[in-house]
Amino acid sequence: QRRLVRLREGELLAKVASDRRRPFLIQTDQARLCAYGNRFLVREREGQGQVVALNGAVEIDNRHGERLQLAAGHEVHYDRNGFGPIETSSSGATAWVDGFLQVRDRPLAEVIEALRPYHNGVLRLDPAVAELRVSGLYRLDNPQQILDTLARTLPIHITRRTGLWVTVSAT
């Protein structure tokens, strides 16, 4: 009688069949999303979430009872304190489905966060370089190669202590 998915953590790309009587619901720790027939992306990790409405609107309710209507082509970040500003979604929001990370003028911290699920072990980032800006298209099947490429193009140094402990710091 209802379509409900509980997303504990991670990323989900949904293509929802239209059914006005039975909305498609996604419940996370921080929010509840409702869609009636469209395509959208939701990710939630460590209390930080993001919703991208790819086509069609998505309704989002947070734990404080605030409601947000997210129009197609837009995205919003959220956490336990509320919603961030609504922004135009980037063209690379679903690139991970095809095995790529696509970023345009994003902070290094966001790139490192996107690499964590593809890296075995600990991936640390020195806050001194977290705000460096990154643009590019990277293959996610080799996160070590992505780090090496970033080290060639940014003023950062990659320290590897075994393959499981990697630190990105200033040069």
Side-chain angles (χ1 to χ4, degrees):
Q1 293 185 353
R2 83 181 176 163
R3 303 179 294 171
L4 174 66
V5 171
R6 170 89 169 115
L7 179 63
R8 297 189 186 282
E9 187 168 283
E11 193 163 5
L12 171 80
L13 175 63
K15 184 176 182 182
V16 179
S18 183
D19 186 340
R20 275 300 201 196
R21 292 179 292 135
R22 294 182 320 133
F24 184 80
L25 305 170
I26 295 181
Q27 182 69 52
T28 73
D29 286 341
Q30 306 300 328
R32 181 177 173 193
L33 289 73
C34 178
Y36 292 95
N38 51 10
R39 190 167 171 249
F40 64 95
L41 177 137
V42 60
R43 68 173 55 107
E44 193 165 303
R45 287 192 184 93
E46 299 176 5
Q48 303 291 315
Q50 177 188 21
V51 178
V52 181
L54 297 166
N55 64 355
V58 178
E59 294 175 6
I60 311 165
D61 296 307
N62 68 13
R63 296 183 341 179
H64 302 296
E66 296 173 304
R67 176 170 283 176
L68 179 71
Q69 181 87 16
L70 189 63
H74 291 84
E75 66 181 75
V76 67
H77 288 83
Y78 61 87
D79 60 20
R80 68 175 161 262
N81 297 318
F83 299 112
I86 295 174
E87 301 174 339
T88 302
S89 63
S90 66
S91 60
T94 60
W96 63 271
V97 174
D98 298 318
F100 292 95
L101 172 63
Q102 182 178 352
V103 292
R104 177 170 290 155
D105 194 30
R106 304 305 302 169
L108 180 59
E110 189 175 305
V111 173
I112 296 301
E113 188 60 34
L115 290 179
R116 283 196 170 102
Y118 302 93
H119 172 76
N120 292 325
V122 176
L123 182 54
R124 295 186 55 211
L125 177 65
D126 180 347
V129 295
E131 294 303 316
L132 291 173
R133 306 310 280 187
V134 178
S135 294
L137 180 64
Y138 307 97
R139 292 186 52 83
L140 286 168
D141 60 353
N142 191 343
Q144 299 303 323
Q145 185 178 33
I146 295 171
L147 293 171
D148 292 341
T149 300
L150 291 172
R152 285 192 302 272
T153 59
L154 296 172
I156 60 173
H157 178 72
I158 309 297
T159 305
R160 292 181 172 91
R161 301 193 198 302
T162 76
L164 299 176
W165 189 279
V166 177
T167 302
V168 179
S169 58
T171 54

